[in-house]
């Protein structure tokens, strides 16, 4: 209710009465909104917007609306509405109410008529190309009579003009110098919610602040590029003499080594550079979920980034946030990516043994799982060398190693090679750890394992800013990292993961975090 105290807020003779009415409706409650356009998949930048809007409301005992900015029927699809809400809820937030800009089309149209009557808007016939850019010529129709604009606007609504033949423009100069932004344009496209009722649709510049006013939003939070529209936000509410919320800006979240533009992601999919919008090399929220990033990690990342404006963040901070969460959430398991067969010639029991492995070694109260232990096991090829270098501590002739969790130390007795001289099997002996000399290292292993496909991902692009023509003169598609995906089709993993479901996460010991 103290909107009038903020810098740049315009106080009119009716401001205090409007604020009093606003407080009677909200009771002084903080109200925010997350207003995505339903024409694409949300990305990491949207995660910051979700966290700022829902998080600020939650921190102040308020509420947050999920409002779809569905004013462009050409690009909107039902799958995007569904996916947006799914991602908001995946990040842990529940909207106070789900609304649509189209809920208010009747009211917005009525206000447009009032704007014309008050001399603040007019119908213009300049082409889109004419009014683009920073210094377009002024409209020759700016001072046409109110009555004429009212009739022409009604003709626009009735479909008497073709697309691009007429627009409704507001009489104001924005902070970036843009003059008379468009309030309504003609589109002969059925709307997914209102059908053929309308052939004129409001623009963002007109719709946004008025929807905020209708929903009695207290804090209209948006990224820095909208700072140039703050004065027009205040101007429009005051021109119509309606409750005026306050716009606050925060720094946009940009990540290095990636692109998030819908148009560019479509190009990546079309050219086969990635599989789809949820390819784990992308930074859409569906891709991050599929990659295995927990929602808590993304929220923590947004909190650490804060309101700051910065040219670009590396993914290292995001990955650090993921590791902190996964260390507490992902149970340990053993997997071998490049298997080398090992036969234990003096296996202690002719029957198979079972090894008890803690799900979280640092906290054994969180349970255990059983792993088979038989005479044949598999270790990583890289955990064996025929010749020992200085500093190498793993398995080699004359250099035993311990087997994690098994309670045994193995020593090489015989090396078996194929015709090309490649090592294909080791024969070893085992000794109980409590009687053997302490080995220099312990390695992971599997026995009676499951075969699985493992995908190892690296950065999709080679340069920090693949969209920058100075860094990448050939365009972002020329900057693809040829090693961004490595598929291992015959990896081995222990049977403890057999019941795993999609998006379950594990820490494969000594390798990293993996998600189904």
């Amino acid at each position: 209710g103290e909107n009038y105290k903020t810098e740049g807020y315009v106080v009119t003779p009716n401001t205090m009465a409007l604020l009093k009415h606003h407080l009677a409706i909200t009771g002084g409650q903080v109200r925010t909104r997350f207003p995505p356009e339903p024409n694409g998949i949300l990305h990491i930048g949207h995660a910051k917007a979700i966290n700022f809007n829902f998080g600020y409301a939650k921190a102040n005992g308020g509420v947050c609306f999920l409002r779809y900015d569905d004013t462009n029927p050409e690009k909107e699809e039902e799958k995007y509405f569904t996916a947006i809400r799914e991602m908001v809820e995946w990040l842990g937030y529940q909207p106070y109410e789900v609304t649509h800009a189209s809920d208010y089309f009747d009211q917005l149209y009525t206000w447009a008529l009032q704007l014309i009557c008050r001399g603040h808007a007019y119908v213009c016939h300049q082409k889109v190309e004419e009014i683009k850019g920073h210094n377009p010529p002024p409209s020759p129709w700016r001072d046409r009579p109110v009555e004429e604009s009212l009739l022409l606007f009604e003709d626009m609504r009735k479909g008497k003009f073709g697309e691009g033949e007429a627009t409704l423009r507001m009489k104001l100069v924005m902070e970036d110098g843009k003059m008379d932004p468009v309030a309504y344009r003609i589109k002969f496209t059925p709307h997914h919610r209102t059908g053929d009722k309308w052939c004129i649709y409001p623009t963002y510049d007109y719709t946004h602040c008025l929807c905020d006013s209708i929903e009695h939003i207290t804090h209209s939070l948006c990224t820095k590029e909208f700072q140039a529209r703050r004065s027009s936000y205040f101007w429009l509410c005051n021109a119509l003499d309606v409750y005026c919320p306050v716009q606050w800006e925060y720094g946009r979240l940009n990540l290095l080594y990636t692109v998030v533009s819908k148009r560019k992601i479509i190009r990546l999919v079309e050219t086969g550079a990635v599989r789809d919008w949820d390819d784990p090399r992308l930074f859409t929220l569906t891709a991050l979920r599929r990659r295995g990033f927990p929602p808590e990690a993304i929220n923590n990342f947004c909190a650490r980034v804060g309101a700051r404006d910065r040219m670009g963040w590396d993914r290292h901070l995001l990955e650090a946030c993921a590791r902190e969460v996964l260390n507490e959430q992902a149970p340990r398991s053993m997997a071998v990516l490049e298997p080398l067969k090992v036969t234990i010639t003096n296996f202690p029991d002719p029957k198979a043994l079972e090894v008890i492995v803690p799900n979280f070694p640092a906290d054994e109260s969180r349970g255990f799982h059983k792993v088979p232990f038989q005479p044949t096991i598999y270790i990583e090829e890289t955990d064996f060398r025929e010749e020992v270098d200085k500093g190498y501590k793993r398995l080699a002739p004359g250099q035993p190693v311990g087997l994690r969790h098994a309670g045994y130390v193995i020593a090489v007795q015989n090396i078996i090679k194929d015709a090309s001289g490649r090592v294909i099997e080791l024969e070893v002996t085992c000794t109980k750890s409590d009687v053997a000399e302490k080995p220099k290292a312990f390695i992971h292993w599997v026995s009676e394992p499951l075969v699985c496909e493992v995908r190892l991902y690296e950065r999709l692009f080679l340069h920090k800013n693949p969209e920058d023509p100075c860094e990448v003169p050939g365009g972002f598609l020329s900057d693809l990292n040829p090693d961004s995906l490595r598929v291992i089709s015959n990896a081995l993993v222990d049977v403890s993961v057999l019941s795993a479901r999609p998006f379950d996460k594990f820490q494969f010991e000594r390798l990293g975090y993996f998600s189904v």
Side-chain angles (χ1 to χ4, degrees):
E2 298 183 332
N3 304 30
Y4 63 92
K5 293 184 178 180
T6 55
E7 185 181 348
Y9 194 83
V10 179
V11 178
T12 71
N14 203 27
T15 293
M16 292 312 190
L18 290 167
L19 288 175
K20 185 178 180 181
H21 176 66
H22 161 74
L23 283 173
I25 290 171
T26 66
Q29 180 184 52
V30 166
R31 287 185 167 204
T32 61
R33 80 290 168 271
F34 172 55
E37 295 177 81
N39 61 6
I41 299 295
L42 299 185
H43 55 69
I44 187 69
H46 292 112
K48 181 172 178 179
I50 291 168
N51 270 276
F52 265 61
N53 282 287
F54 282 92
Y56 186 79
K58 186 177 180 180
N60 290 280
V63 297
C64 182
F65 292 73
L66 169 58
R67 184 204 308 144
Y68 294 108
D69 181 18
D70 57 344
T71 56
N72 191 353
E74 292 173 327
K75 299 181 179 179
E76 292 154 7
E77 294 182 44
E78 186 59 38
K79 66 179 181 181
Y80 296 134
F81 288 85
T82 305
I84 287 169
R85 181 161 187 177
E86 184 183 349
M87 287 298 100
V88 167
E89 293 176 350
W90 177 66
L91 288 175
Y93 296 109
Q94 281 295 330
Y96 168 70
E97 192 176 333
V98 177
T99 60
H100 304 74
S102 57
D103 295 338
Y104 312 120
F105 277 178
D106 288 321
Q107 179 63 69
L108 294 172
Y109 178 75
T110 300
W111 276 338
L113 294 175
Q114 290 180 24
L115 207 60
I116 297 170
C117 290
R118 295 178 185 208
H120 296 312
Y122 62 96
V123 171
C124 175
H125 303 287
Q126 284 179 296
K127 302 297 182 188
V128 174
E129 306 77 51
E130 293 179 71
I131 59 176
K132 270 187 174 179
H134 288 292
N135 294 300
S139 172
W141 293 281
R142 195 173 200 265
D143 297 319
R144 76 185 333 158
V146 167
E147 294 76 15
E148 192 177 316
S149 281
L150 284 171
L151 288 170
L152 291 169
F153 189 48
E154 180 66 10
D155 287 344
M156 286 173 61
R157 188 183 72 81
K158 290 179 176 178
K160 292 184 179 181
F161 290 103
E163 291 190 12
E165 290 182 358
T167 58
L168 182 70
R169 295 176 67 180
M170 298 177 282
K171 291 184 182 179
L172 78 143
V173 179
M174 300 173 76
E175 283 165 274
D176 60 0
K178 184 180 177 183
M179 190 171 182
D180 294 0
V182 172
Y184 271 86
R185 74 279 202 215
I186 299 166
K187 286 183 181 292
F188 291 106
T189 304
H191 191 275
H192 73 289
R193 298 185 76 240
T194 61
D196 293 324
K197 180 178 178 180
W198 301 94
C199 64
I200 54 170
Y201 293 98
T203 61
Y204 175 91
D205 286 325
Y206 178 75
T207 308
H208 184 64
C209 60
L210 296 181
C211 288
D212 283 352
S213 179
I214 292 168
E215 293 175 352
H216 284 274
I217 300 303
T218 59
H219 297 73
S220 183
L221 307 176
C222 56
T223 48
K224 282 279 188 180
E225 66 262 35
F226 293 103
Q227 192 163 353
R229 294 173 173 177
R230 192 197 299 179
S231 62
S232 66
Y233 185 106
F234 293 154
W235 175 89
L236 183 52
C237 289
N238 291 326
L240 288 166
D241 206 17
V242 296
Y243 161 69
C244 184
V246 178
Q247 177 174 304
W248 300 88
E249 302 89 14
Y250 56 86
R252 184 175 179 149
L253 175 54
N254 294 309
L255 275 187
L256 301 174
Y257 295 100
T258 192
V259 297
V260 294
S261 146
K262 177 186 174 185
R263 184 172 54 84
K264 290 186 171 67
I265 291 176
I266 287 172
R267 290 285 293 127
L268 289 170
V269 175
E270 287 175 345
T271 57
V274 297
R275 295 182 180 187
D276 209 336
W277 286 80
D278 64 351
D279 188 296
R281 289 166 289 185
L282 297 173
F283 281 84
T284 60
L285 294 184
T286 50
L288 288 170
R289 178 175 65 172
R290 190 154 170 248
R291 177 80 174 258
F293 280 85
E296 301 93 328
I298 295 172
N299 294 343
N300 293 345
F301 172 65
C302 293
R304 291 187 187 180
V305 166
R308 288 171 289 178
D309 200 8
R310 180 166 155 174
M311 287 304 292
W313 293 88
D314 204 335
R315 67 178 192 181
H316 294 314
L317 178 59
L318 176 59
E319 289 177 350
C321 292
R323 282 192 293 272
E324 286 175 7
V325 175
L326 289 170
N327 188 48
E328 297 296 321
Q329 290 185 355
R332 281 25 169 202
S333 185
M334 291 191 289
V336 173
L337 303 189
E338 296 174 328
L340 175 60
K341 184 179 178 182
V342 175
T343 301
I344 302 171
T345 57
N346 66 334
F347 196 72
D349 193 319
K351 297 178 183 178
L353 300 176
E354 279 189 330
V355 173
I356 307 297
V357 179
N359 295 329
F360 295 88
D363 183 3
E364 294 190 354
S365 68
R366 297 180 67 182
F368 297 82
H369 60 271
K370 294 179 180 179
V371 175
F373 182 40
Q374 287 202 332
T376 298
I377 64 172
Y378 297 87
I379 66 171
E380 295 284 358
E381 278 189 349
T382 52
D383 281 339
F384 170 74
R385 287 187 191 173
E386 286 189 79
E387 296 180 9
V388 179
D389 297 332
K390 186 179 180 181
Y392 179 77
K393 297 180 180 180
R394 286 161 286 160
L395 186 62
Q399 182 166 288
V401 293
L403 297 177
R404 285 187 64 77
H405 308 297
Y408 285 91
V409 175
I410 58 172
V412 176
Q413 298 300 308
N414 187 30
I415 301 170
I416 301 169
K417 300 181 180 182
D418 63 14
S420 67
R422 179 172 170 266
V423 177
I424 57 171
E425 186 180 347
L426 300 176
E427 291 179 346
V428 303
T429 57
C430 70
T431 309
K432 281 205 166 187
S433 299
D434 52 6
V435 296
E437 185 178 335
K438 185 177 180 181
K440 292 182 179 179
F442 286 81
I443 62 173
H444 63 279
W445 53 276
V446 291
S447 184
E448 280 198 332
L450 304 169
V451 179
C452 69
E453 179 176 293
V454 168
R455 298 173 190 169
L456 303 174
Y457 293 98
E458 295 294 339
R459 288 177 177 140
L460 183 58
F461 296 100
L462 298 170
H463 290 82
K464 284 185 177 181
N465 300 293
E467 297 171 275
D468 186 345
C470 297
E471 263 188 71
V472 187
F476 73 102
L477 288 176
S478 70
D479 195 46
L480 295 169
N481 175 9
D483 301 317
S484 64
L485 170 61
R486 179 180 162 218
V487 178
I488 301 171
S489 55
N490 291 301
L492 303 176
V493 62
D494 77 47
V495 293
S496 66
V497 306
L498 184 59
S499 60
R501 298 176 179 180
F503 306 127
D504 282 354
K505 300 160 189 65
F506 298 90
Q507 185 184 126
F508 291 166
E509 297 200 25
R510 297 178 64 230
L511 294 176
Y513 294 104
F514 292 80
S515 174
V516 183

